[in-house]
Amino acid sequence: MRQRPDTRQPPRTSRLERKLNALRAGVLGANDGIVSTAAVVVGVAGATAAAQPVMLAGLAAATGGAISMALGEYVSVHSQRDSEKHLIEQERRALDADPEGELHALVHAYTERGLSPDTARRAAVELSRRDALEAHLRERHNIDPDDVTNPWHAAIASFLAFAIGALLPLLAILLPPVDLRVPVAFTATLLGLALTGTVAAWIGGGSRLRAALRVTIGGALALAATYGAGTLFGMTGMV
């Protein structure tokens, strides 16, 4: 006996919206690269005036963080891709086994969205004649069979976004004179965080000021904590 189709409609996402979501993810990745790398280099700079330990710690943080971000994104998106491919294959088998039942399910999905039964049936029949699999995947699962997510694209984008963000605090801590490098790194990091917060809010349609303040305050607290810890270790002679 055929199960009643799931009538809950997934959120509809256009290609433009998906690109904006990817852009926002890239901005947030850069934000992570800025704050995590800045926290490490500022902490080490608080413990020692030598440039080499700061540079090595910063490079290690940037490299490890970028790889970690890429691996996490790859695993996450690959899992999503596997789910999408499973749904595509499942729908293909269902259409082969019971095309009439699948047509009724598509009609039901359209009526749940507010179409009259006659209009829903005409739409379902016409779309099924053109490409039944695509019609079912788009309407019932919100999947574009020609645009399945690619885990490699996501992993590479995350790696690059984090690495680009990490470059800002690295340059800000290494280029200035020793007595200015911590203030310059603080200033550059907070400005970078304010920018990424503003851009992310602009993409998402939220308050740019509140978003900028949130990430800036959070970043300032992280930098203060790591700098204080590094200074404490330096004063006690542990470093």
Side-chain angles (χ1 to χ4, degrees), residues 210-234:
R210 282 200 295 267
L213 285 175
R214 279 196 300 268
V215 295
T216 302
I217 293 172
L221 292 174
L223 294 181
T226 55
Y227 181 72
T231 302
L232 180 61
F233 280 121

Side-chain angles (χ1 to χ4, degrees), residues 86 88-98 102 133:
H86 174 71
I88 291 172
E89 186 58 32
Q90 188 178 54
E91 193 61 50
R92 181 180 287 112
R93 289 197 301 265
L95 284 168
D96 291 339
D98 185 12
E102 290 298 297
L133 179 61

Side-chain angles (χ1 to χ4, degrees), residues 6 12 26 68 139 161 163 174 199 221:
D6 187 355
R12 302 197 168 268
S68 177
E139 177 58 32
L174 294 175
V199 173
L221 292 174

